[in-house]
């Protein structure tokens, strides 16, 4: 997988002329409220359908990187990107949610110590390294829309969970916890059918080769 770290000299802080990152921020850094589905519409979703357990049993293939009972200052996350976003099963306040995301795009992860820009395409695996804060904002460069991941461990970070377009694979800080990446589903190519054979024409007789009949009259018998 590709790894991405902090750019040299990047503070990652937003100055006072860029807005406050709220919904009404004209720079597009806040929670998105349009129909593209990159972020949660109109603020936070009803969390009744998703739990935030502090003690819980995980299904096969999932394990806890950190949660409220196992706090960790996240320094790196390995992720996999899918354009078909899903709601997290464990994070209530993440605004990266179910929806259709670009198949190919560049995004910027806003960490505590700077911005990390990553080129993404369907199914790509990559690792983000840096200092993660309470929430990590992800900005889609194509239109400056954004959404957030909860990365403070106050809500579970579960390997195998998908938060919007980002499937959590692992963190090297917890080496015994890793989810298997999902295969990329490509459209099946239909085989080209062989050409239909043309019927063999029936040969016609060559009339020019037929013998000419003898038209000489027969002699009259005596």
């Amino acid at each position: 997988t590709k790894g991405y770290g902090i750019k040299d000299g990047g503070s990652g802080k937003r100055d006072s002329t860029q807005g406050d990152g709220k919904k009404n921020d004209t720079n597009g850094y806040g929670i998105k409220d349009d129909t593209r589905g990159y972020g949660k519409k109109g603020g936070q979703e009803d969390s009744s359908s998703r739990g935030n357990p502090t003690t819980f049993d995980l299904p096969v293939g999932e394990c806890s990187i950190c949660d409220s009972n196992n706090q960790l200052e996240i320094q790196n996350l390995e992720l996999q990107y899918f354009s078909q976003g899903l709601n997290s099963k464990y994070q209530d306040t993440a605004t990266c949610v179910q929806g259709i995301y670009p198949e190919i795009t560049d995004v910027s992860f806003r960490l505590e110590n700077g911005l990390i820009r990553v080129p993404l395409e369907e199914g790509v695996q990559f690792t983000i390294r840096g200092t993660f804060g309470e929430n990590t904002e992800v900005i889609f460069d194509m239109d400056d829309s954004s959404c957030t991941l909860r990365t403070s461990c106050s809500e579970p970070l579960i390997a195998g969970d998908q938060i919007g377009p980002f499937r959590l694979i692992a963190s090297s800080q917890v080496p015994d916890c890793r989810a298997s990446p999902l295969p990329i589903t490509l459209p099946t190519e239909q085989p080209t059918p062989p050409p239909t054979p043309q019927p063999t024409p029936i040969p016609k007789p060559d009339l020019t080769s037929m013998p000419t009949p003898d038209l000489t009259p027969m002699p009259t018998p005596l």
Side-chain angles (χ1 to χ4, degrees):
T1 61
K2 296 180 180 179
Y4 297 87
I6 296 296
K7 296 178 181 178
D8 293 339
S11 66
K13 304 298 183 180
R14 186 180 297 130
D15 60 39
S16 60
T17 62
Q18 291 181 309
D20 57 6
K22 302 298 182 182
K23 181 178 174 183
N24 60 353
D25 183 355
T26 58
N27 288 308
Y29 296 135
I31 295 174
K32 195 170 184 66
D33 61 354
D34 67 5
T35 58
R36 290 188 179 89
Y38 299 166
K40 195 168 296 182
K41 294 183 180 180
Q44 295 180 1
E45 215 177 46
D46 180 6
S47 62
S48 61
S49 62
R50 291 181 287 153
N52 178 23
T54 56
T55 302
F56 49 90
D57 294 325
L58 295 173
V60 175
E62 295 184 358
C63 54
S64 177
I65 296 172
C66 69
D67 54 62
S68 60
N69 287 334
N70 183 24
Q71 294 288 324
L72 182 67
E73 185 176 323
I74 298 297
Q75 299 292 330
N76 65 79
L77 284 176
E78 183 179 344
L79 306 168
Q80 187 177 18
Y81 179 78
F82 292 99
S83 58
Q84 178 59 64
L86 300 176
N87 288 331
S88 169
K89 294 184 292 184
Y90 305 100
Q91 294 204 356
D92 293 335
T93 59
T95 64
C96 295
V97 293
Q98 180 175 338
I100 303 299
Y101 295 76
E103 291 185 4
I104 300 175
T105 185
D106 287 354
V107 302
S108 296
F109 287 79
R110 187 182 297 280
L111 303 188
E112 291 290 288
N113 55 336
L115 282 173
I116 299 176
R117 189 176 183 188
V118 184
L120 297 180
E121 60 184 28
E122 190 72 16
V124 70
Q125 292 173 240
F126 61 100
T127 299
I128 300 296
R129 298 183 177 91
T131 303
F132 289 76
E134 182 175 4
N135 293 296
T136 296
E137 183 182 26
V138 185
I139 305 164
F140 291 81
D141 290 3
M142 62 184 300
D143 60 1
D144 280 343
S145 61
S146 69
C147 62
T148 59
L149 311 174
R150 188 76 167 181
T151 49
S152 65
C153 298
S154 61
E155 295 181 356
L157 281 172
I158 304 297
D161 186 30
Q162 185 168 330
I163 309 172
F166 302 106
R167 176 177 166 84
L168 294 176
I169 302 298
S171 171
S172 64
Q173 297 168 263
V174 189
D176 58 346
C177 177
R178 182 176 182 83
S180 298
L182 294 181
I184 304 171
T185 303
L186 299 176
T188 303
E189 293 185 4
Q190 298 296 325
T192 303
T196 304
Q198 297 296 320
T200 303
I202 301 174
K204 296 180 180 180
D206 184 3
L207 298 180
T208 60
S209 63
M210 297 296 288
T212 303
D214 186 3
L215 300 179
T216 306
M218 297 295 288
T220 302
L222 294 178

